[in-house]
Amino acid sequence: MAFRSSMAAQPNLASSSTSGPLFASGGGSKLRQTQVATKPVPVLDLPALQAASRVLHEQLVKDSQIIPDLGDMISGSPSSSSYTVFPDDYRAPFQKRRHIGIPESLWQYYTSTDLATHMGLLPQIDRVWIAIDHNLFLWDYVDGQELSSFVDQPDVIAHVALVKPKSGVFIDEITSLLVICTPVTVLLIGVSTTPVPGPNNQTRKEIKLYATDMSIACDVEMTSVIGTEDGRIFMAGSQDGNLYELHYQEKEGWFGKRVQLINHSVGGMQSLLPRIGASNADDRIMALVPDPARDCFYSLTAKNTISVWKTNGEKHVQHLQTLSNLYKAAQDKVPGSPALTPQTFHIAALHVIDPSESRAGVQLVAITANGVRLYFSPGSTYGWSASAASGFRSLSLAHVRLAPPNLIHPDEQSNPYREGAGTYGIGQGQQQPTSRPYIITTLEDTCYDLGITIAVQRGDVADTDYLLCIAPDLTQIGSLGQVRGPQVQQPQPQYVSHGYGTTAAVASRVPLTERATLIPMSGLTWALAPVPRSKYSVATTTPANTPAPLFANELATQFSEPARQYIFLTNGGLHWIAKRRAVDALKDAIEEFQVEGNAQPLIDLRDSYGRDQTCAMLLAIASGNTFLDPMEQSPVGSMSRVSSELSGVARQAFYDFGERPTWSERVTYGTSEGSGTATFSGRREGLALYFARLVRPFWKVKLTKPGAHGLQELGVPDDILVIAQKNLFALKELLDTNPYLFHSAPGDHTGARSATGSEQEAWKAEQSSVSQLLNLLGRTIEAISFILLLSDHRLGELISQCDGEVQKVVSVLTFEDLITVDKGVTASRALVNVIINQQIGQQISVDTISEVLQQRCGSFCSTDDVMLYKARENIRRAVETRNPTERQTWLGESLRLFMKGARNLEFEKLREICGDYQQLNYAKGAVELPLHCAQASDTELLGQEYWIAGCPASDPRSQHWERRKRCYELVLDSLSVFEERCVASKQSSSLSDDPETVRGHAYELAFASEDEMFHSTLYDWLIERSMADELLEMRPAYLEAHLRREPVTVEKFQLLWKFYVKDGQPLRAAEVLAILAESTEFNLALDTRLEYLTLAVGNAKSHPVSVGGRHETAIAFLTDLEEKLEVAQVQLELFNTLVPRQHEPDVVDRFKALSLRLYNITELYQLWAEPLDLPLMKLLILHVSQHRDESLVRPIWNRIFEEGMSSILSIEGVEPKVAADRILAKVIPLGQRYYPSDSAFPLQHITSLLVRFSLTHKGDIPYGWAPRILVQCGVPYPEVWDILHEMYESQVPPFNEQANVQAISSDIAVLLTDWIEEAKRPQSAASRGEFPVFRIDQAVEQYLAELEPGRTETKAAYEAIKRQLRRHW
């Protein structure tokens, strides 16, 4: 595709929508500049946010993998010399950026004397040190002119170094020490630094020097001073080449002076390692290099020997390893190389490779004077001697990297050479004709910094140095999806060895390819050093649990940290060299396109870095990323000033380079159905990549970390968040104002015709993914605003005011969690509540803070939340006002707002609000708000379903019911409080509102609720408080349903039947009582059951005939009840009968069973009366059941008579009269109870038994004894006479004997006499009108005629009867 033609097609796009700098300057607080959301925030879609977050994580993982590890690249072969060298400047890897001359006053002093002068760099404190004779000057190169000086010692200063101090020796202000070396002394000066505003809005370091009174005389001049992390200082003797340590301590002690110089090369070490001792003066130590990450240091000797040392206890060091014969080892790796000869092989410097640069463990690089680099890494063997530290792996030479063989002389670079075709990226640089390739011969100063090598070579022009600058060529070693064309192998020198037996896996590794250039520098170089890495650097900001890119991968870091820079100190001043990043080259190519219209450099860069990486960089340029300008004079963090025209070209290039998404169809074998995956366009990939790189410094970091005073503090420096937010907001604004960037073009050939189904699927997938990323982008911007606002309000204190559970959640929450998961939403809401409460507590209006929250981070403070805060504000106003009307207004408004925001009202907050309402005697709020919240917390009615289902165990819906129940309990609590106030008011009249009125109103509101579940809870509560009678009087709407609801209880049923009585429904009351009496689930006493049945019968009888047309049913029900009552009475009598026998073995269980329930009459007979042989109970059962069976009842009566006789007559000498009395005592009560029941009182049989007994004991028992007993039993006279007369006439034994017949006649005479006497009495039952005079008269005639003459007494009786009959009838 031709970029030029695309621009022609849409000439207006470059200027149609501008996206200029968002912020003019970086002044003001962080919070004041946070961005404002321009449109309402949609409802949080957490799954979509999480999907977008996974996309970011994928990009972060890609960033950690696209550039191979240094160790992997050099392990493929023993040596290499592959370099990319370009003659043109737009692809030059380094650029000179700035120069500052030495301050005028110092320059004049320097040039006007012939005194000894030394100088060097101290970049940690932004200073150049210049020693002129015994005077030390520290030049602040950020300020430009400021000088500090130290002139308090007399000797010529030869060397100065800056090291860390030991902890606890100096005051806290001293953060570093200057070590000043003269030929005869070494002394220490304390240094403290304070950041202060500098020129051009930059920050500079103000220093103070402190005399330490620590110095020591020495026999040799010291050089190459280094310090360790724990404050120990090592140095090399310039004349003897020994390893020394300057030991210092706070005070002098018994065993050591305050300052000592210890020679580690002699003494104890000599016996172990004699070859290092002072005797070998020719091979003296030339340089020491610290390796703080691995807790060791290295020494380099004049004869190219490298030693590894480790501190080992105070004043001791341990020698771990010596690497010698390095020339031979290097030659074995590159046999025949002209760069390696005994004459030219001289190691100029050692440099440590940071562990973060090489995961494979490359540890050290040595650079020779002619530019050959020797890489050392640990071998597979561990410590080689007894003195080696445990776990130390010996170093060995791993790889030899030759100097660039094809360097272009700086003079040649002024003639740019450019091909027309875009076949960039395959190392054409090596194929360009050069008039004189430049060969490195004598490097002096060198520097190695995270993959970048810079060294100084004296120029072939007077007073000029050449800087050799080498950096990894990411376009050759990275997996960027770049267009490489046919892979042309770069020409390798014939002496470069590939090793023997190289495996396919090793051979397939990407070899190290670097870009190299020579830069001329006027003046002679004294020192060079990398500018200390920015605090925004990936080295300082990538958290442990985030996939981290290798430091060589500047594509990943160029949007979140400044370009890497290097300082060169020459006799003409300071020079800055900046590493040109891919984004710098792309920006320059766009500017060239604007000026010259040449799009080829843009296309070349796109092909070199790949579509996705280029799109990410174009987004950064179009949105004005804060790190675009390598030498920005304004403070880091301001948006870069990108012209609208340049931004327009970047946007158009982003659109055109991004191409279209595609769809890959996958058909499942054996089915007609297919599925597919979208391959996203470069635009979507570029967006995801740029977004991920912007958030990497904080995305996976915990929100907080432990801070001072036990409080939490922000886990990421807030300025890192501010800068990230500015870049994210600029990106969002760019995309919001240019929505077309993710649409298919109207003129695109896919849009011109009907798009195929697969193309539509691809576009749909892309749109969905982009939409998710944009949502996440907006939410992330708001999240940073939210965090910065919390930080401004003292985050640690806010967290400490949250409850324990929230504190625990916040302590483990990452920024990603805060933005994308539920617990982040919960924690953020809790923190917002704390801020608002803090504002309310300080009597500050919540309107201000809630507006700030909604504007800056709307998704963290919803409209509902704001309503709640305003409601709290209204309560506060209600508390403050003294006007009752105003108070009611404020309270009413607060209730309205609380009810609107009820969905977001946490229970603890609700409890607090109800407490406020109670204090203010606001019954409406205290009752209605919790009831409303109960409904709001169960919108799907799961709690209600659970309640209706009877609250089954282990049901997941129970939690919804529990939430409702807690709200109901708040209402009950309010009612309790108002009740208590009523009681208190009767003792004190000081309360303002009338408590009776408030209480009455509260109950009125509670009973007015239409929430049946609440009513049920309320009724239970009232019943518990012994207010059941009042409840029955009120008869509220849901009371009947509540009392009938499962689980039923005796108390509920007792109230229910009373409710029906009060409600005029006696029949329903009787039904309830019957259920109670007959229930088996309640443990009721038998007499209680009987009582319920009695009440049931009474209520059933009260049922009016007309009600509900249930007359017949009611009568049947009453009859049934009465029968059950009778049986129950039998059961009670049975129970009482067994009480004396309840402990007998065969009675115990049966006795207990009688209390469990009501039994029917058959059960009572078969299970109790019969087995326990209870004759009286049998009679009662037969009576109640009206069961007529002579064979059952006669044996019972026989037994009664037998018991009456045997119990007495068995005793010798007891008279029959006593037996007669016993029988009388038994028969009369039974007769009175059961007569006229034939079932229980068979009259004929009983009369026979009585008469037979009297006949047996004639003479002992008076005549008339038997009939008189029957009359007392309630048998009417006529019936008794009929039976006796029948016996008289029967002639059946024993009445066939005349004596017995005469005895019966005497009984009849007594009976008739009693009858007549009874009939004569007024109001007698045997009234005269019914008296059978004629019949008796005739019978008496018969009895007299048949009477024996000797029975004078009987005869007299009969005659008296006749007289009475005649007299009275």
Side-chain angles (χ1 to χ4, degrees):
M1 91 98 291
F3 180 72
R4 192 174 308 171
S5 63
S6 297
M7 286 301 291
Q10 293 185 339
N12 61 329
L13 284 179
S15 56
S16 62
S17 100
T18 60
S19 177
L22 200 60
F23 302 100
S25 73
S29 142
K30 302 170 286 292
L31 192 60
R32 264 47 81 196
Q33 289 206 340
T34 51
Q35 280 36 347
V36 173
T38 52
K39 52 187 175 186
V41 178
V43 176
L44 272 187
D45 183 355
L46 290 180
L49 293 174
Q50 288 158 10
S53 181
R54 285 193 292 276
V55 171
L56 298 192
H57 183 75
E58 286 163 14
Q59 300 300 334
L60 294 176
V61 171
K62 274 188 204 169
D63 267 350
S64 68
Q65 297 169 345
I66 54 173
I67 303 299
D69 189 279
L70 172 65
D72 292 338
M73 289 190 287
I74 64 174
S75 63
S77 62
S79 62
S80 61
S81 64
S82 176
Y83 293 87
T84 311
V85 178
F86 289 107
D88 51 8
D89 55 1
Y90 88 93
R91 283 179 286 198
F94 292 85
Q95 281 182 328
K96 284 191 274 192
R97 289 285 184 176
R98 191 165 149 227
H99 169 254
I100 303 178
I102 294 173
E104 189 63 31
S105 55
L106 194 60
W107 179 251
Q108 288 173 358
Y109 187 22
Y110 168 62
T111 52
S112 64
T113 64
D114 293 325
L115 299 171
T117 304
H118 300 86
M119 62 179 82
L121 286 165
L122 301 172
Q124 303 95 317
I125 56 171
D126 298 338
R127 296 294 188 276
V128 172
W129 67 267
I130 301 173
I132 302 175
D133 198 48
H134 68 285
N135 300 309
L136 175 64
F137 299 97
L138 297 177
W139 166 35
D140 178 356
Y141 53 75
V142 174
D143 179 78
Q145 296 298 316
E146 182 167 318
L147 290 169
S148 310
S149 60
F150 175 72
V151 295
D152 296 346
Q153 63 85 42
D155 304 307
V156 173
I157 296 171
H159 184 71
V160 174
L162 192 74
V163 297
K164 282 189 173 180
K166 289 180 180 175
S167 63
V169 175
F170 306 105
I171 59 172
D172 292 342
E173 283 79 2
I174 293 178
T175 52
S176 44
L177 294 175
L178 277 178
V179 184
I180 300 173
C181 304
T182 74
V184 291
T185 58
V186 178
L187 66 144
L188 301 180
I189 301 293
V191 180
S192 73
T193 60
T194 311
V196 294
N200 299 318
N201 293 320
Q202 290 184 303
T203 301
R204 67 180 192 85
K205 291 175 180 170
E206 192 172 78
I207 65 169
K208 284 184 185 173
L209 302 181
Y210 296 81
T212 64
D213 297 330
M214 289 188 180
S215 64
I216 192 167
C218 49
D219 302 333
V220 291
E221 183 181 317
M222 296 297 166
T223 185
S224 192
V225 177
I226 64 165
T228 65
E229 289 294 293
D230 58 358
R232 293 176 70 175
I233 302 170
F234 295 95
M235 51 196 77
S238 188
Q239 288 84 7
D240 61 9
N242 286 349
L243 173 64
Y244 289 90
E245 179 179 2
L246 181 67
H247 176 78
Y248 61 95
Q249 57 194 39
E250 191 177 2
K251 297 173 183 171
E252 295 202 8
W254 288 99
F255 302 104
K257 297 179 180 176
R258 193 166 177 229
V259 185
Q260 288 175 274
L261 199 60
I262 302 165
N263 186 342
H264 288 298
S265 295
V266 299
M269 292 302 295
Q270 202 162 20
S271 60
L272 289 172
L273 305 158
R275 59 192 174 74
I276 299 179
S279 58
N280 193 358
D282 291 343
D283 196 17
R284 63 185 194 277
I285 293 174
M286 305 298 294
L288 298 175
V289 179
D291 188 347
R294 298 179 183 90
D295 195 23
C296 63
F297 61 93
Y298 311 96
S299 61
L300 173 65
T301 70
K303 292 191 174 178
N304 302 319
T305 299
I306 300 170
S307 293
V308 188
W309 306 81
K310 183 179 177 68
T311 56
N312 185 23
E314 195 167 331
K315 302 187 187 178
H316 291 86
V317 293
Q318 182 178 2
H319 175 256
L320 298 177
Q321 183 186 5
T322 295
L323 292 155
S324 54
N325 293 327
L326 293 177
Y327 166 68
K328 175 74 172 66
Q331 203 175 37
D332 289 345
K333 299 273 185 190
V334 201
S337 167
L340 292 173
T341 64
Q343 294 76 29
T344 59
F345 187 81
H346 169 64
I347 295 177
L350 295 179
H351 296 287
V352 172
I353 295 175
D354 193 272
S356 54
E357 183 187 348
S358 169
R359 302 178 186 124
V362 183
Q363 189 164 329
L364 190 67
V365 60
I367 303 178
T368 68
N370 61 349
V372 176
R373 282 170 287 167
L374 311 178
Y375 289 93
F376 297 89
S377 61
S380 56
T381 57
Y382 281 79
W384 55 274
S385 72
S387 65
S390 61
F392 171 71
R393 291 167 63 187
S394 302
L395 296 179
S396 58
L397 178 61
H399 189 81
V400 175
R401 179 101 176 125
L402 299 174
N406 49 351
L407 278 172
I408 300 172
H409 193 281
D411 294 350
E412 300 288 327
Q413 289 179 11
S414 59
N415 174 25
Y417 173 89
R418 207 173 273 155
E419 285 189 1
T423 54
Y424 166 85
I426 54 170
Q428 325 90 301
Q430 292 85 334
Q431 296 146 25
Q432 307 303 341
T434 55
S435 54
R436 46 171 180 159
Y438 190 85
I439 304 301
I440 299 298
T441 54
T442 50
L443 295 179
E444 297 195 352
D445 282 308
T446 65
C447 160
Y448 180 89
D449 173 48
L450 298 172
I452 292 175
T453 307
I454 297 183
V456 177
Q457 159 96 21
R458 290 282 175 253
D460 51 11
V461 179
D463 213 24
T464 300
D465 283 347
Y466 293 154
L467 303 183
L468 170 64
C469 302
I470 301 172
D473 186 351
L474 303 189
T475 66
Q476 295 297 317
I477 63 175
S479 305
L480 312 175
Q482 62 268 57
V483 179
R484 283 201 172 100
Q487 187 69 39
V488 179
Q489 187 61 41
Q490 302 197 44
Q492 296 275 10
Q494 61 185 9
Y495 44 80
V496 170
S497 166
H498 291 283
Y500 298 102
T502 304
T503 65
V506 171
S508 68
R509 288 179 179 166
V510 176
L512 176 59
T513 303
E514 294 175 296
R515 297 174 69 174
T517 189
L518 278 177
I519 299 176
M521 182 80 70
S522 59
L524 300 177
T525 305
W526 281 82
L528 75 158
V531 172
R533 296 192 74 107
S534 152
K535 64 180 174 183
Y536 309 108
S537 156
V538 70
T540 55
T541 60
T542 299
N545 58 345
T546 303
L550 289 163
F551 290 147
N553 183 7
E554 68 178 24
L555 291 170
T557 60
Q558 59 188 348
F559 307 132
S560 53
E561 61 182 90
R564 283 151 71 182
Q565 297 177 53
Y566 302 86
I567 317 174
F568 295 83
L569 174 63
T570 70
N571 54 5
L574 276 179
H575 299 263
W576 272 264
I577 300 283
K579 167 76 178 70
R580 274 182 93 232
R581 306 159 299 174
V583 72
D584 302 324
L586 188 61
K587 187 179 171 206
D588 292 346
I590 292 174
E591 286 169 349
E592 182 178 329
F593 171 78
Q594 282 182 284
V595 174
E596 301 177 13
N598 178 13
Q600 195 56 44
L602 271 175
I603 295 167
D604 287 352
L605 284 166
R606 191 273 315 271
D607 293 345
S608 300
Y609 287 102
R611 177 195 73 176
D612 300 348
Q613 300 290 339
T614 307
C615 283
M617 291 188 276
L618 286 165
L619 273 183
I621 293 168
S623 60
N625 181 276
T626 50
F627 295 100
L628 279 185
D629 303 322
M631 294 293 286
E632 180 66 66
Q633 289 303 298
S634 58
V636 173
S638 298
M639 299 311 293
S640 302
R641 294 174 180 81
V642 177
S643 70
S644 58
E645 291 80 9
L646 187 138
S647 175
V649 175
R651 290 199 304 273
Q652 186 60 49
F654 171 77
Y655 187 88
D656 289 342
F657 285 169
E659 301 173 341
R660 295 189 306 279
T662 58
W663 185 260
S664 309
E665 198 75 36
R666 287 198 312 272
V667 178
T668 309
Y669 180 72
T671 70
S672 59
E673 293 177 13
S675 61
T677 51
T679 302
F680 296 113
S681 71
R683 286 173 273 176
R684 185 274 193 185
E685 294 292 341
L687 169 62
L689 203 50
Y690 182 47
F691 187 179
R693 287 168 177 174
L694 291 179
V695 299
R696 183 184 51 240
F698 62 86
W699 196 243
K700 302 275 183 184
V701 187
K702 286 187 179 173
L703 267 183
T704 64
K705 59 185 180 185
H709 312 300
L711 297 175
Q712 296 286 309
E713 61 183 37
L714 202 53
V716 175
D718 48 9
D719 43 4
I720 285 178
L721 292 177
V722 170
I723 287 181
Q725 188 190 41
K726 286 178 178 177
N727 285 317
L728 291 166
F729 188 79
L731 172 62
K732 183 175 187 301
E733 191 176 61
L734 172 73
L735 300 178
D736 286 348
T737 52
N738 298 279
Y740 73 87
L741 290 176
F742 287 100
H743 297 160
S744 54
D748 191 355
H749 66 274
T750 61
R753 56 179 169 75
S754 173
T756 65
S758 61
E759 285 170 341
Q760 287 176 347
E761 287 297 326
W763 277 109
K764 199 186 297 177
E766 169 134 327
Q767 291 294 336
S768 170
S769 182
V770 168
S771 170
Q772 289 175 346
L773 286 167
L774 292 179
N775 283 344
L776 183 62
L777 177 61
R779 173 114 172 123
T780 305
I781 293 166
E782 291 190 358
I784 297 174
S785 292
F786 180 63
I787 289 299
L788 293 176
L789 182 127
L790 292 178
S791 183
D792 278 5
H793 284 80
R794 297 182 181 169
L795 176 64
E797 290 178 16
L798 293 176
I799 294 171
S800 68
Q801 291 169 39
C802 295
D803 64 49
E805 197 57 39
V806 172
Q807 289 188 37
K808 205 181 296 178
V809 169
V810 172
S811 69
V812 297
L813 213 59
T814 63
F815 280 81
E816 179 186 21
D817 294 339
L818 175 75
I819 293 164
T820 63
V821 300
D822 268 331
K823 61 182 180 181
V825 175
T826 307
S828 60
R829 183 162 288 146
L831 288 165
V832 169
N833 286 338
V834 171
I835 285 191
I836 298 294
N837 289 341
Q838 196 182 67
Q839 299 286 303
I840 292 172
Q842 294 166 2
Q843 310 291 304
I844 301 168
S845 168
V846 297
D847 287 352
T848 312
I849 188 76
S850 59
E851 278 170 28
V852 168
L853 280 163
Q854 275 212 288
Q855 283 178 349
R856 296 180 183 165
C857 38
S859 64
F860 288 84
C861 178
S862 68
T863 314
D864 282 353
D865 291 334
V866 171
M867 278 192 290
L868 298 182
Y869 304 142
K870 289 186 174 173
R872 294 300 301 271
E873 174 85 349
N874 286 333
I875 288 186
R876 183 173 68 80
R877 288 172 175 162
V879 170
E880 288 170 359
T881 185
R882 294 190 175 179
N883 182 325
T885 313
E886 270 185 23
R887 179 185 303 151
Q888 287 304 310
T889 306
W890 289 127
L891 288 172
E893 182 60 14
S894 76
L895 177 60
R896 185 185 69 79
L897 292 170
F898 277 134
M899 286 170 94
K900 280 182 83 172
R903 277 182 309 132
N904 293 343
L905 198 54
E906 291 167 11
F907 180 73
E908 287 308 315
K909 279 277 167 290
L910 175 60
R911 188 204 299 278
E912 211 176 290
I913 294 159
C914 287
D916 291 341
Y917 282 153
Q918 290 166 10
Q919 287 297 315
L920 294 163
N921 280 325
Y922 187 50
K924 187 175 172 67
V927 172
E928 288 188 353
L929 179 59
L931 288 176
H932 185 78
C933 289
Q935 304 265 13
S937 70
D938 187 25
T939 48
E940 294 178 15
L941 303 180
L942 295 174
Q944 183 174 320
E945 287 172 15
Y946 172 75
W947 182 79
I948 290 167
C951 304
S954 306
D955 191 312
R957 297 172 297 180
S958 64
Q959 59 188 14
H960 298 279
W961 161 242
E962 284 302 322
R963 279 205 290 269
R964 291 188 86 126
K965 192 173 166 192
R966 284 161 70 198
C967 295
Y968 298 153
E969 282 165 359
L970 288 179
V971 181
L972 303 181
D973 179 61
S974 297
L975 294 175
S976 291
V977 169
F978 297 142
E979 284 272 8
E980 285 159 16
R981 293 227 180 110
C982 276
V983 175
S985 71
K986 287 166 187 169
Q987 296 152 5
S988 153
S989 57
S990 60
L991 294 166
S992 54
D993 295 302
D994 176 30
E996 280 290 349
T997 310
V998 174
R999 171 184 167 279
H1001 187 42
Y1003 274 109
E1004 196 179 306
L1005 291 164
F1007 281 111
S1009 165
E1010 293 180 1
D1011 183 343
E1012 184 179 353
M1013 288 173 282
F1014 166 66
H1015 275 271
S1016 191
T1017 312
L1018 173 64
Y1019 302 156
D1020 280 338
W1021 179 78
L1022 289 169
I1023 292 164
E1024 273 174 34
R1025 293 168 68 92
S1026 307
M1027 295 172 74
D1029 292 342
E1030 291 89 331
L1031 200 54
L1032 291 173
E1033 286 300 329
M1034 289 179 65
R1035 298 202 298 285
Y1038 299 100
L1039 181 57
E1040 179 184 356
H1042 167 70
L1043 295 175
R1044 297 190 75 92
R1045 229 183 82 74
E1046 295 286 342
V1048 293
T1049 62
V1050 177
E1051 292 74 18
K1052 275 189 180 178
F1053 271 6
Q1054 283 177 328
L1055 289 172
L1056 183 59
W1057 79 260
K1058 290 176 184 173
F1059 170 81
Y1060 285 137
V1061 170
K1062 297 261 185 196
D1063 203 39
Q1065 301 184 64
L1067 194 61
R1068 301 199 74 169
E1071 287 167 354
V1072 173
L1073 283 161
I1075 292 168
L1076 252 183
E1078 295 179 62
S1079 67
T1080 52
E1081 64 256 49
F1082 304 135
N1083 185 18
L1084 296 173
L1086 191 53
D1087 52 357
T1088 307
R1089 293 179 187 275
L1090 201 61
E1091 182 188 341
Y1092 288 145
L1093 266 182
T1094 310
L1095 287 166
V1097 170
N1099 277 292
K1101 286 177 177 175
S1102 306
H1103 177 65
V1105 174
S1106 60
V1107 173
R1110 294 177 59 195
H1111 188 52
E1112 291 79 4
T1113 317
I1115 290 172
F1117 177 58
L1118 173 60
T1119 307
D1120 185 49
L1121 278 182
E1122 287 174 329
E1123 287 175 359
K1124 285 177 179 172
L1125 176 59
E1126 270 193 288
V1127 177
Q1129 286 166 337
V1130 173
Q1131 187 171 333
L1132 180 62
E1133 192 164 330
L1134 178 57
F1135 179 85
N1136 293 333
T1137 303
L1138 291 178
V1139 168
R1141 297 174 57 190
Q1142 60 182 301
H1143 300 301
E1144 293 175 16
D1146 58 340
V1147 175
V1148 173
D1149 292 339
R1150 294 176 193 271
F1151 180 75
K1152 286 180 183 169
L1154 279 173
S1155 299
L1156 299 180
R1157 65 180 178 88
L1158 295 180
Y1159 296 89
N1160 63 39
I1161 201 74
T1162 308
E1163 289 171 326
L1164 292 175
Y1165 190 87
Q1166 292 175 348
L1167 300 176
W1168 280 274
E1170 182 69 38
L1172 296 177
D1173 193 20
L1174 303 169
L1176 299 181
M1177 289 316 304
K1178 288 180 186 175
L1179 278 184
L1180 179 59
I1181 289 167
L1182 290 169
H1183 168 68
V1184 168
S1185 63
Q1186 296 178 3
H1187 179 70
R1188 301 179 69 172
D1189 188 342
E1190 294 282 329
S1191 63
L1192 282 176
V1193 74
R1194 285 189 173 195
I1196 297 169
W1197 278 104
N1198 292 345
R1199 173 125 176 249
I1200 290 169
F1201 272 80
E1202 282 164 16
E1203 284 175 359
M1205 292 184 287
S1206 64
S1207 60
I1208 302 298
L1209 296 180
S1210 60
I1211 302 167
E1212 194 70 31
V1214 174
E1215 295 179 3
K1217 282 185 180 179
V1218 179
D1221 290 344
R1222 297 292 292 173
I1223 289 169
L1224 177 143
K1226 284 194 174 207
V1227 174
I1228 290 173
L1230 292 172
Q1232 288 173 345
R1233 182 171 188 181
Y1234 299 135
Y1235 178 82
S1237 165
D1238 286 341
S1239 308
F1241 196 78
L1243 186 57
Q1244 290 274 5
H1245 182 63
I1246 294 164
T1247 309
S1248 172
L1249 290 172
L1250 288 168
V1251 169
R1252 284 166 191 268
F1253 178 79
S1254 65
L1255 291 177
T1256 307
H1257 301 287
K1258 290 194 287 281
D1260 293 326
I1261 293 185
Y1263 293 121
W1265 175 80
R1268 279 178 170 163
I1269 287 176
L1270 291 171
V1271 169
Q1272 284 183 66
C1273 284
V1275 183
Y1277 286 98
E1279 275 197 56
V1280 179
W1281 179 42
D1282 286 345
I1283 294 167
L1284 289 177
H1285 183 72
E1286 192 182 321
M1287 287 177 181
Y1288 178 83
E1289 296 278 9
S1290 71
Q1291 295 296 312
V1292 175
F1295 307 113
N1296 56 352
E1297 292 179 19
Q1298 193 56 36
N1300 291 343
V1301 172
Q1302 293 300 312
I1304 290 287
S1305 183
S1306 298
D1307 284 341
I1308 291 172
V1310 173
L1311 172 70
L1312 293 174
T1313 304
D1314 291 348
W1315 188 4
I1316 288 170
E1317 288 302 318
E1318 177 67 20
K1320 286 180 350 188
R1321 282 193 305 111
Q1323 283 95 36
S1324 161
S1327 64
R1328 293 185 188 193
E1330 294 171 4
F1331 192 70
V1333 179
F1334 179 71
R1335 193 179 149 219
I1336 291 171
D1337 188 50
Q1338 280 190 322
V1340 169
E1341 289 289 349
Q1342 181 189 347
Y1343 298 145
L1344 280 169
E1346 294 172 4
L1347 189 68
E1348 286 182 351
R1351 291 188 172 268
T1352 53
E1353 197 177 325
T1354 304
K1355 184 181 178 183
Y1358 280 138
E1359 287 173 347
I1361 291 166
K1362 286 174 76 76
R1363 284 194 297 273
Q1364 292 288 345
L1365 289 174
R1366 284 168 175 69
R1367 184 180 304 162
H1368 296 290
W1369 282 277

